Amino acid sequence: MPSIPTISQATYEERLHRVQRAMREQDISWLLLGPSADLLYLTGFDAHVSERLNLLMLPANGDPSLVVPQLEAPNVGDAAKLVSLQSWADHESPVDLVASSVSGDIGAVAVGNHLYSAFLLRIQDAVMAESWIEAGDLMRSLRMAKDATEIELLEIAGRNNDLAWEAFVKAGPLSGLTERQALDRLLNLTMVQGTGQCWGICASGPNAASPHYSTGDRIIQQGDSVIFDWGGPIGGYYSDVTRTVHVGEPGDEFRKVYGIVLAANQVTLDAVRPGVACQELDRAARKLITDAGYGDAFLHRVGHGLGLEVHEEPYLVEGNDLPLEEGFVFSDEPGIYLEGRFGVRIEDAVVCTAGGGRRLNESTRELVVMT
Amino acid sequence: MPSIPTISQATYEERLHRVQRAMREQDISWLLLGPSADLLYLTGFDAHVSERLNLLMLPANGDPSLVVPQLEAPNVGDAAKLVSLQSWADHESPVDLVASSVSGDIGAVAVGNHLYSAFLLRIQDAVMAESWIEAGDLMRSLRMAKDATEIELLEIAGRNNDLAWEAFVKAGPLSGLTERQALDRLLNLTMVQGTGQCWGICASGPNAASPHYSTGDRIIQQGDSVIFDWGGPIGGYYSDVTRTVHVGEPGDEFRKVYGIVLAANQVTLDAVRPGVACQELDRAARKLITDAGYGDAFLHRVGHGLGLEVHEEPYLVEGNDLPLEEGFVFSDEPGIYLEGRFGVRIEDAVVCTAGGGRRLNESTRELVVMT
């Protein structure tokens, strides 16, 4: 197994300073983040989402503090070197701590996208700010372009999916397994490579025609198309790959649709370069699929950003004119879904480099026929 | 395995009507719920939490609708018989759908506690309401008192933990296993009983002294106390049990502390009856532990509600004067944590009945010594 690089304390410090600079430029007084990938990105603290408030409070100028439940304080770890801890016991009010820490002329407060609304409403009652805004734009400006260490982690995660897929294809027949059993086999093969807790979807036969179907107890049988969409973290950074196989020899229409999706995956990759708007990638795939007569069956955007979250900015969707930059990492995942019949999706993780798109996983995209 | 009762469509309809009645009484115009146990409780729809908005919009008078991503619409299932669907494609704005559905004189809007702040801020920008309030109080008034079917589901979930624990204690030595391996064994024994995807904590030796430590790679050894805190869902309703074992013969202080925690667990149960304030249960346990000299080492509240969520209302904590009612289900989980040395926690799920507290799990609370 490759050695896993870690994010250094110096990098977290630099990220905190970078977001503070951006806050000053955008006239944002405070940044409030609950448990989230944003918090993990800035401090390395992987806080627990619950009814107990964890909140990073970062002023545009000055030092950050972390409101943390007393009994979760031991989990803060090295992040305690970056932020001062304000712990609270179960019978105390964490919002009082927040209110007493925020003083002076309070302008715009940016709130982490994933903070629970209940916490936001309580904080809005206790703190008089000029405005409350989403922290999403601020945070994505830091998080979208990955640095060399982040890309290395994403590469290892992608390679582990490749190794797992290669072993999975050789591991025996699919037919007779339930979707759950087939998926467990694939996830276990991924985790033995060193990947952390994996997530996944296995959708077989008509289930494969619903792009957000989750794995069930259907027994895979001859004649099915089967979609596997899965990944897991390496050092916090996720893989996300989809492969579609056919059980038994496929018919002509399946082969045709598979070829169209494969071509759409490639045309999307070919469109990647710095400066191209996110929506152009979606348009490239959609034009190819529409010209082939299946536009109505391509039910979702062509991709999403990938990093500390499986879905994050930037979204590759019509209406998003954000230009790609070097270091952006995202999925390239066109699909065609024919209701009641079958579905095909082929997905890779791609990094935008100066020279164009580069895939982070390389297991075969050619049609695999299994038994 | 026992047959698992299901929540009927008639029950969901009745719950929707009940919450609308409460909204009218409390002058709340709209209830907005994202993916959450609240949504599941009212409709049976177990929506996916993501950057794509799912939102139940329930007016105080009139019919509910559900804003749902087009590609997740097939997952709505039977809930589509209760609510009208407003689906949106990836290139469309779900908040526009929300704004166009809310019309007329908009008073107070109650927002589900777990809705992402980003969605709330966008909706607040698009909809002019008189006030925005937490939906928590409204929803807990329905959800805290469980009906007969809900209690039956919680009982089955508790019994499965009992059966798993009995098998686990006999399954062989703990020493030499990592925390992760020991926990996996216990969770697998629970899931083979029919319980869904289980969660759990295994904390050994000094790790057991941190009440929110999560399972790691520490190897369990002679002389350790080991805390197992775990559960899983039956028909959506969770078990939550903690047992503490000792590996090898324990010393006098461990035996003493174990006895104190056991007595605190019992004194809490004995305090349960309708009309007693939640905080009185915490006080009962805390007084016993404090009188025994370990007050500073009881680091958390004595319990939390249990149902569709592992932590939900009511919280058994100082400051909560809410009176218990028949049908409330909650954990009874005192603990003593001696930093760097060991920890003991004993937890049961308890239902409040007319005659007092009744435990929903019954595996032995006497000290178990393992090898």
Side-chain angles (χ1 to χ4, degrees), chain A residues 70-71, chain B residues 208-211 253 257 260-261 286 289-290 292-301 333-339 341-345:
Chain A
Q70 190 182 76
L71 77 173
Chain B
S210 176
E253 190 176 11
V257 165
I260 296 165
V261 174
R286 203 163 302 276
I289 291 174
T290 303
Y294 290 93
D296 291 344
F298 177 19
L299 299 174
H300 53 73
R301 63 196 175 203
E333 52 172 317
I336 292 179
Y337 308 92
L338 302 181
E339 200 176 334
R341 301 178 57 209
F342 65 81
V344 174
R345 183 166 66 252

mmCIF file of all heavy atoms in Angstrom, chain A residues 70-71, chain B residues 208-211 253 257 260-261 286 289-290 292-301 333-339 341-345:
data_model
loop_
_atom_site.group_PDB
_atom_site.id
_atom_site.type_symbol
_atom_site.label_atom_id
_atom_site.label_comp_id
_atom_site.label_asym_id
_atom_site.label_seq_id
_atom_site.Cartn_x
_atom_site.Cartn_y
_atom_site.Cartn_z
ATOM 1 N N GLN A 70 -18.395 19.711 26.106
ATOM 2 C CA GLN A 70 -17.330 19.276 27.013
ATOM 3 C C GLN A 70 -16.895 17.836 26.746
ATOM 4 O O GLN A 70 -15.717 17.521 26.691
ATOM 5 C CB GLN A 70 -17.849 19.389 28.451
ATOM 6 C CG GLN A 70 -16.821 19.212 29.526
ATOM 7 C CD GLN A 70 -17.491 19.303 30.904
ATOM 8 O OE1 GLN A 70 -18.159 18.369 31.346
ATOM 9 N NE2 GLN A 70 -17.333 20.421 31.549
ATOM 10 N N LEU A 71 -17.879 16.964 26.530
ATOM 11 C CA LEU A 71 -17.517 15.553 26.399
ATOM 12 C C LEU A 71 -16.987 15.220 25.017
ATOM 13 O O LEU A 71 -16.515 14.112 24.803
ATOM 14 C CB LEU A 71 -18.675 14.633 26.803
ATOM 15 C CG LEU A 71 -19.817 14.444 25.851
ATOM 16 C CD1 LEU A 71 -20.741 13.380 26.377
ATOM 17 C CD2 LEU A 71 -20.574 15.726 25.643
ATOM 18 N N ALA B 208 -12.024 4.288 27.340
ATOM 19 C CA ALA B 208 -13.357 4.203 27.930
ATOM 20 C C ALA B 208 -13.627 5.377 28.875
ATOM 21 O O ALA B 208 -14.765 5.611 29.272
ATOM 22 C CB ALA B 208 -13.524 2.877 28.677
ATOM 23 N N ALA B 209 -12.581 6.113 29.198
ATOM 24 C CA ALA B 209 -12.762 7.267 30.086
ATOM 25 C C ALA B 209 -13.181 8.522 29.330
ATOM 26 O O ALA B 209 -13.429 9.556 29.936
ATOM 27 C CB ALA B 209 -11.480 7.524 30.865
ATOM 28 N N SER B 210 -13.296 8.432 27.991
ATOM 29 C CA SER B 210 -13.789 9.567 27.203
ATOM 30 C C SER B 210 -15.159 9.180 26.671
ATOM 31 O O SER B 210 -15.275 8.305 25.814
ATOM 32 C CB SER B 210 -12.832 9.859 26.050
ATOM 33 O OG SER B 210 -13.350 10.897 25.241
ATOM 34 N N PRO B 211 -16.243 9.807 27.187
ATOM 35 C CA PRO B 211 -17.580 9.284 26.872
ATOM 36 C C PRO B 211 -17.951 9.372 25.392
ATOM 37 O O PRO B 211 -18.841 8.658 24.954
ATOM 38 C CB PRO B 211 -18.505 10.153 27.729
ATOM 39 C CG PRO B 211 -17.693 11.292 28.217
ATOM 40 C CD PRO B 211 -16.266 10.899 28.155
ATOM 41 N N GLU B 253 -11.558 -0.760 43.014
ATOM 42 C CA GLU B 253 -12.166 0.506 42.632
ATOM 43 C C GLU B 253 -13.111 0.320 41.449
ATOM 44 O O GLU B 253 -14.182 0.921 41.399
ATOM 45 C CB GLU B 253 -11.120 1.582 42.319
ATOM 46 C CG GLU B 253 -11.831 2.932 42.186
ATOM 47 C CD GLU B 253 -10.899 4.107 41.963
ATOM 48 O OE1 GLU B 253 -9.702 3.883 41.701
ATOM 49 O OE2 GLU B 253 -11.401 5.249 42.043
ATOM 50 N N VAL B 257 -16.985 1.427 41.474
ATOM 51 C CA VAL B 257 -17.545 2.366 40.500
ATOM 52 C C VAL B 257 -18.669 1.689 39.709
ATOM 53 O O VAL B 257 -19.720 2.290 39.455
ATOM 54 C CB VAL B 257 -16.429 2.890 39.565
ATOM 55 C CG1 VAL B 257 -17.009 3.567 38.330
ATOM 56 C CG2 VAL B 257 -15.515 3.847 40.331
ATOM 57 N N ILE B 260 -21.787 1.707 41.698
ATOM 58 C CA ILE B 260 -22.403 3.033 41.794
ATOM 59 C C ILE B 260 -23.193 3.338 40.521
ATOM 60 O O ILE B 260 -24.329 3.821 40.574
ATOM 61 C CB ILE B 260 -21.321 4.116 42.040
ATOM 62 C CG1 ILE B 260 -20.635 3.896 43.394
ATOM 63 C CG2 ILE B 260 -21.931 5.514 41.955
ATOM 64 C CD1 ILE B 260 -19.335 4.674 43.561
ATOM 65 N N VAL B 261 -22.590 3.035 39.374
ATOM 66 C CA VAL B 261 -23.273 3.317 38.102
ATOM 67 C C VAL B 261 -24.529 2.451 37.982
ATOM 68 O O VAL B 261 -25.591 2.916 37.545
ATOM 69 C CB VAL B 261 -22.318 3.107 36.902
ATOM 70 C CG1 VAL B 261 -23.068 3.258 35.587
ATOM 71 C CG2 VAL B 261 -21.156 4.090 36.967
ATOM 72 N N ARG B 286 -27.550 11.947 39.387
ATOM 73 C CA ARG B 286 -26.409 12.790 39.764
ATOM 74 C C ARG B 286 -26.241 12.843 41.283
ATOM 75 O O ARG B 286 -25.121 12.828 41.795
ATOM 76 C CB ARG B 286 -26.593 14.193 39.168
ATOM 77 C CG ARG B 286 -25.297 14.984 39.005
ATOM 78 C CD ARG B 286 -25.463 16.165 38.047
ATOM 79 N NE ARG B 286 -25.910 15.733 36.742
ATOM 80 C CZ ARG B 286 -25.095 15.274 35.772
ATOM 81 N NH1 ARG B 286 -23.787 15.202 35.969
ATOM 82 N NH2 ARG B 286 -25.598 14.882 34.621
ATOM 83 N N ILE B 289 -24.592 9.582 42.403
ATOM 84 C CA ILE B 289 -23.172 9.515 42.024
ATOM 85 C C ILE B 289 -22.355 10.547 42.800
ATOM 86 O O ILE B 289 -21.225 10.277 43.227
ATOM 87 C CB ILE B 289 -23.028 9.685 40.485
ATOM 88 C CG1 ILE B 289 -23.603 8.450 39.774
ATOM 89 C CG2 ILE B 289 -21.579 9.917 40.087
ATOM 90 C CD1 ILE B 289 -23.650 8.555 38.256
ATOM 91 N N THR B 290 -22.940 11.727 43.015
ATOM 92 C CA THR B 290 -22.232 12.772 43.766
ATOM 93 C C THR B 290 -22.048 12.347 45.223
ATOM 94 O O THR B 290 -20.961 12.494 45.797
ATOM 95 C CB THR B 290 -23.004 14.104 43.671
ATOM 96 O OG1 THR B 290 -23.153 14.428 42.284
ATOM 97 C CG2 THR B 290 -22.261 15.229 44.374
ATOM 98 N N ALA B 292 -21.745 9.510 46.286
ATOM 99 C CA ALA B 292 -20.742 8.448 46.340
ATOM 100 C C ALA B 292 -19.340 8.986 46.058
ATOM 101 O O ALA B 292 -18.366 8.222 46.074
ATOM 102 C CB ALA B 292 -21.094 7.349 45.344
ATOM 103 N N GLY B 293 -19.250 10.295 45.750
ATOM 104 C CA GLY B 293 -17.926 10.908 45.596
ATOM 105 C C GLY B 293 -17.427 11.033 44.172
ATOM 106 O O GLY B 293 -16.274 11.398 43.945
ATOM 107 N N TYR B 294 -18.291 10.735 43.175
ATOM 108 C CA TYR B 294 -17.832 10.763 41.786
ATOM 109 C C TYR B 294 -18.597 11.772 40.919
ATOM 110 O O TYR B 294 -18.634 11.631 39.698
ATOM 111 C CB TYR B 294 -17.941 9.362 41.170
ATOM 112 C CG TYR B 294 -16.937 8.387 41.725
ATOM 113 C CD1 TYR B 294 -17.246 7.560 42.804
ATOM 114 C CD2 TYR B 294 -15.661 8.309 41.181
ATOM 115 C CE1 TYR B 294 -16.319 6.669 43.324
ATOM 116 C CE2 TYR B 294 -14.719 7.420 41.688
ATOM 117 C CZ TYR B 294 -15.055 6.598 42.755
ATOM 118 O OH TYR B 294 -14.125 5.732 43.254
ATOM 119 N N GLY B 295 -19.193 12.766 41.537
ATOM 120 C CA GLY B 295 -20.008 13.733 40.786
ATOM 121 C C GLY B 295 -19.273 14.377 39.622
ATOM 122 O O GLY B 295 -19.833 14.568 38.541
ATOM 123 N N ASP B 296 -17.993 14.707 39.838
ATOM 124 C CA ASP B 296 -17.228 15.386 38.785
ATOM 125 C C ASP B 296 -16.927 14.464 37.613
ATOM 126 O O ASP B 296 -16.508 14.926 36.548
ATOM 127 C CB ASP B 296 -15.884 15.885 39.337
ATOM 128 C CG ASP B 296 -16.079 17.021 40.317
ATOM 129 O OD1 ASP B 296 -17.184 17.599 40.329
ATOM 130 O OD2 ASP B 296 -15.132 17.319 41.065
ATOM 131 N N ALA B 297 -17.121 13.173 37.802
ATOM 132 C CA ALA B 297 -16.759 12.211 36.759
ATOM 133 C C ALA B 297 -17.981 11.725 35.966
ATOM 134 O O ALA B 297 -17.859 10.871 35.094
ATOM 135 C CB ALA B 297 -16.046 11.011 37.387
ATOM 136 N N PHE B 298 -19.134 12.300 36.265
ATOM 137 C CA PHE B 298 -20.368 11.989 35.512
ATOM 138 C C PHE B 298 -20.538 13.157 34.532
ATOM 139 O O PHE B 298 -21.146 14.159 34.844
ATOM 140 C CB PHE B 298 -21.536 11.863 36.490
ATOM 141 C CG PHE B 298 -22.889 11.606 35.879
ATOM 142 C CD1 PHE B 298 -23.039 11.108 34.581
ATOM 143 C CD2 PHE B 298 -24.047 11.841 36.618
ATOM 144 C CE1 PHE B 298 -24.297 10.883 34.036
ATOM 145 C CE2 PHE B 298 -25.308 11.612 36.080
ATOM 146 C CZ PHE B 298 -25.431 11.135 34.789
ATOM 147 N N LEU B 299 -19.995 12.983 33.342
ATOM 148 C CA LEU B 299 -19.715 14.128 32.466
ATOM 149 C C LEU B 299 -20.863 14.518 31.554
ATOM 150 O O LEU B 299 -20.734 15.451 30.773
ATOM 151 C CB LEU B 299 -18.484 13.814 31.598
ATOM 152 C CG LEU B 299 -17.183 13.552 32.359
ATOM 153 C CD1 LEU B 299 -16.088 13.121 31.386
ATOM 154 C CD2 LEU B 299 -16.748 14.795 33.118
ATOM 155 N N HIS B 300 -21.964 13.791 31.572
ATOM 156 C CA HIS B 300 -23.037 14.076 30.615
ATOM 157 C C HIS B 300 -24.393 13.927 31.282
ATOM 158 O O HIS B 300 -24.498 13.406 32.395
ATOM 159 C CB HIS B 300 -22.915 13.167 29.388
ATOM 160 C CG HIS B 300 -22.823 11.699 29.726
ATOM 161 N ND1 HIS B 300 -23.908 10.979 30.166
ATOM 162 C CD2 HIS B 300 -21.775 10.831 29.714
ATOM 163 C CE1 HIS B 300 -23.531 9.729 30.384
ATOM 164 N NE2 HIS B 300 -22.233 9.607 30.122
ATOM 165 N N ARG B 301 -25.419 14.374 30.585
ATOM 166 C CA ARG B 301 -26.806 14.208 31.020
ATOM 167 C C ARG B 301 -27.112 12.713 31.185
ATOM 168 O O ARG B 301 -26.449 11.863 30.568
ATOM 169 C CB ARG B 301 -27.735 14.825 29.983
ATOM 170 C CG ARG B 301 -27.605 14.109 28.640
ATOM 171 C CD ARG B 301 -28.207 14.888 27.478
ATOM 172 N NE ARG B 301 -27.901 14.133 26.251
ATOM 173 C CZ ARG B 301 -27.853 14.652 25.035
ATOM 174 N NH1 ARG B 301 -28.090 15.944 24.839
ATOM 175 N NH2 ARG B 301 -27.560 13.903 23.993
ATOM 176 N N GLU B 333 -28.778 6.331 31.154
ATOM 177 C CA GLU B 333 -27.377 5.975 30.931
ATOM 178 C C GLU B 333 -26.391 6.787 31.762
ATOM 179 O O GLU B 333 -25.588 7.540 31.220
ATOM 180 C CB GLU B 333 -27.020 6.095 29.453
ATOM 181 C CG GLU B 333 -27.376 7.419 28.797
ATOM 182 C CD GLU B 333 -26.811 7.515 27.365
ATOM 183 O OE1 GLU B 333 -25.663 7.133 27.148
ATOM 184 O OE2 GLU B 333 -27.553 7.977 26.482
ATOM 185 N N PRO B 334 -26.420 6.592 33.073
ATOM 186 C CA PRO B 334 -25.381 7.224 33.878
ATOM 187 C C PRO B 334 -24.011 6.620 33.562
ATOM 188 O O PRO B 334 -23.922 5.486 33.078
ATOM 189 C CB PRO B 334 -25.808 6.889 35.310
ATOM 190 C CG PRO B 334 -26.600 5.630 35.181
ATOM 191 C CD PRO B 334 -27.306 5.727 33.859
ATOM 192 N N GLY B 335 -22.973 7.385 33.846
ATOM 193 C CA GLY B 335 -21.605 6.896 33.619
ATOM 194 C C GLY B 335 -20.626 7.606 34.526
ATOM 195 O O GLY B 335 -20.879 8.721 34.987
ATOM 196 N N ILE B 336 -19.523 6.943 34.767
ATOM 197 C CA ILE B 336 -18.417 7.540 35.527
ATOM 198 C C ILE B 336 -17.151 7.334 34.704
ATOM 199 O O ILE B 336 -16.883 6.208 34.248
ATOM 200 C CB ILE B 336 -18.281 6.893 36.933
ATOM 201 C CG1 ILE B 336 -19.495 7.274 37.802
ATOM 202 C CG2 ILE B 336 -16.977 7.308 37.604
ATOM 203 C CD1 ILE B 336 -19.481 6.663 39.208
ATOM 204 N N TYR B 337 -16.395 8.424 34.513
ATOM 205 C CA TYR B 337 -15.232 8.409 33.627
ATOM 206 C C TYR B 337 -14.021 8.941 34.375
ATOM 207 O O TYR B 337 -14.005 10.107 34.766
ATOM 208 C CB TYR B 337 -15.513 9.271 32.388
ATOM 209 C CG TYR B 337 -16.824 8.881 31.732
ATOM 210 C CD1 TYR B 337 -18.015 9.528 32.070
ATOM 211 C CD2 TYR B 337 -16.883 7.822 30.831
ATOM 212 C CE1 TYR B 337 -19.225 9.138 31.519
ATOM 213 C CE2 TYR B 337 -18.084 7.424 30.274
ATOM 214 C CZ TYR B 337 -19.255 8.087 30.623
ATOM 215 O OH TYR B 337 -20.439 7.691 30.079
ATOM 216 N N LEU B 338 -13.029 8.088 34.581
ATOM 217 C CA LEU B 338 -11.830 8.475 35.331
ATOM 218 C C LEU B 338 -10.682 8.608 34.347
ATOM 219 O O LEU B 338 -10.146 7.599 33.850
ATOM 220 C CB LEU B 338 -11.527 7.436 36.415
ATOM 221 C CG LEU B 338 -12.677 7.235 37.419
ATOM 222 C CD1 LEU B 338 -12.302 6.198 38.477
ATOM 223 C CD2 LEU B 338 -13.069 8.554 38.093
ATOM 224 N N GLU B 339 -10.322 9.842 34.060
ATOM 225 C CA GLU B 339 -9.408 10.148 32.960
ATOM 226 C C GLU B 339 -8.114 9.335 33.022
ATOM 227 O O GLU B 339 -7.482 9.238 34.068
ATOM 228 C CB GLU B 339 -9.084 11.651 32.947
ATOM 229 C CG GLU B 339 -8.556 12.086 31.588
ATOM 230 C CD GLU B 339 -8.312 13.591 31.497
ATOM 231 O OE1 GLU B 339 -8.964 14.343 32.241
ATOM 232 O OE2 GLU B 339 -7.462 13.980 30.674
ATOM 233 N N ARG B 341 -7.755 6.280 33.000
ATOM 234 C CA ARG B 341 -7.827 5.000 33.699
ATOM 235 C C ARG B 341 -8.937 4.120 33.121
ATOM 236 O O ARG B 341 -8.670 3.190 32.375
ATOM 237 C CB ARG B 341 -8.025 5.241 35.188
ATOM 238 C CG ARG B 341 -6.860 6.078 35.774
ATOM 239 C CD ARG B 341 -7.070 6.376 37.237
ATOM 240 N NE ARG B 341 -7.239 5.129 37.985
ATOM 241 C CZ ARG B 341 -7.960 5.021 39.100
ATOM 242 N NH1 ARG B 341 -8.569 6.085 39.604
ATOM 243 N NH2 ARG B 341 -8.079 3.858 39.705
ATOM 244 N N PHE B 342 -10.183 4.410 33.465
ATOM 245 C CA PHE B 342 -11.269 3.582 32.946
ATOM 246 C C PHE B 342 -12.586 4.333 32.984
ATOM 247 O O PHE B 342 -12.692 5.430 33.575
ATOM 248 C CB PHE B 342 -11.376 2.250 33.709
ATOM 249 C CG PHE B 342 -11.747 2.378 35.166
ATOM 250 C CD1 PHE B 342 -13.083 2.547 35.552
ATOM 251 C CD2 PHE B 342 -10.773 2.318 36.157
ATOM 252 C CE1 PHE B 342 -13.426 2.652 36.895
ATOM 253 C CE2 PHE B 342 -11.121 2.431 37.509
ATOM 254 C CZ PHE B 342 -12.447 2.599 37.866
ATOM 255 N N GLY B 343 -13.588 3.761 32.366
ATOM 256 C CA GLY B 343 -14.922 4.337 32.386
ATOM 257 C C GLY B 343 -15.952 3.226 32.508
ATOM 258 O O GLY B 343 -15.696 2.076 32.138
ATOM 259 N N VAL B 344 -17.105 3.582 33.067
ATOM 260 C CA VAL B 344 -18.229 2.649 33.184
ATOM 261 C C VAL B 344 -19.504 3.380 32.765
ATOM 262 O O VAL B 344 -19.764 4.500 33.244
ATOM 263 C CB VAL B 344 -18.407 2.138 34.635
ATOM 264 C CG1 VAL B 344 -19.677 1.278 34.752
ATOM 265 C CG2 VAL B 344 -17.190 1.360 35.103
ATOM 266 N N ARG B 345 -20.263 2.782 31.863
ATOM 267 C CA ARG B 345 -21.591 3.322 31.537
ATOM 268 C C ARG B 345 -22.533 2.128 31.395
ATOM 269 O O ARG B 345 -22.147 1.090 30.846
ATOM 270 C CB ARG B 345 -21.553 4.143 30.247
ATOM 271 C CG ARG B 345 -22.896 4.787 29.897
ATOM 272 C CD ARG B 345 -22.786 5.881 28.817
ATOM 273 N NE ARG B 345 -22.389 5.396 27.513
ATOM 274 C CZ ARG B 345 -21.202 5.597 26.945
ATOM 275 N NH1 ARG B 345 -20.263 6.279 27.587
ATOM 276 N NH2 ARG B 345 -20.928 5.129 25.749
#
